[in-house]
Amino acid sequence: MGRTLTVADLGVLDYDAALAMQTAMLAARIDGAIGDTLLMMEHPHVFTLGRGADERFIVGNPASVPIRRVSRGGQVTYHGPGQLIGYPILKLEGRDRDVTKYLRGLEAAMIDALAKFGIDAARRDAMTGVWVGSRKIASIGVGIRRWTTWHGFALNVSTDLSFFDSIVPCGIEGCRMTSICELTNRAVSVSEFAEVMRESFRGVFRYDEIFSVAAARIVPTAEFVAGDG
């Protein structure tokens, strides 16, 4: 049998509910109760801080955006409408038990998907995430427990970029963010990009088949964290 990936497109989901879902699915994947799963969604406005992140990187909050500190790597980032969030719940096995390889794989999948929209994205040396020229378009912050992944990536599709003005994105001074819509000067929906992203993810992580579900089966924390925010 080939490798299969379940993809759940969950629409707009509150951050706390998504975190509870991830926690349950992480435990289920460790126990072998479920297979590899990619959760894809949007969040209402929220700032998240990785474990050990510096709260001083939230430099203002005029819109009173909720703030959450969570068990992922990286500094502060913003999630909100128009941003594709991906939470892979994957068991890394054999040669894939390599954290750096996993992070580079997430970047490669996003770079491949962006290329299909005519966007020439790339990595930056010594940094995690995806950039287009001098601007950042996607951030990564992951957690890994017993070689099973959670948390993940956030890519700006039609995001209101003004919310990033309230933070130092990923703790990188002078970092400016961009989005697919800003770069292409056309309307692109999160669902449109998600369709492309899932195929790029499948290819990079070498899955033979994708099974789509309308909502993930909720089933009954990470010790290792890595990322950039």
Side-chain angles (χ1 to χ4, degrees), residues 19-29 34 150 217-220:
L19 184 59
M21 179 182 291
Q22 284 189 78
T23 302
M25 296 190 73
L26 173 68
R29 186 68 189 98
I34 63 172
W150 64 324
R217 180 167 63 94
I218 298 178
V219 289

Side-chain angles (χ1 to χ4, degrees), residues 98-115 119-140 155 172 197 200 203-205 228:
D98 181 325
V99 177
T100 300
K101 180 180 178 181
Y102 175 61
L103 294 174
R104 298 296 84 82
L106 293 178
E107 292 165 346
M110 289 187 281
I111 289 168
D112 182 74
L114 288 165
I119 296 172
D120 185 15
R123 301 181 178 94
R124 270 195 170 183
D125 289 344
M127 292 185 179
T128 301
V130 177
W131 302 72
V132 182
S134 62
R135 296 201 169 204
K136 193 172 191 185
I137 194 168
S139 299
I140 295 172
L155 190 146
I172 304 171
M197 181 64 202
S200 293
V204 168
F205 287 94
D228 71 321

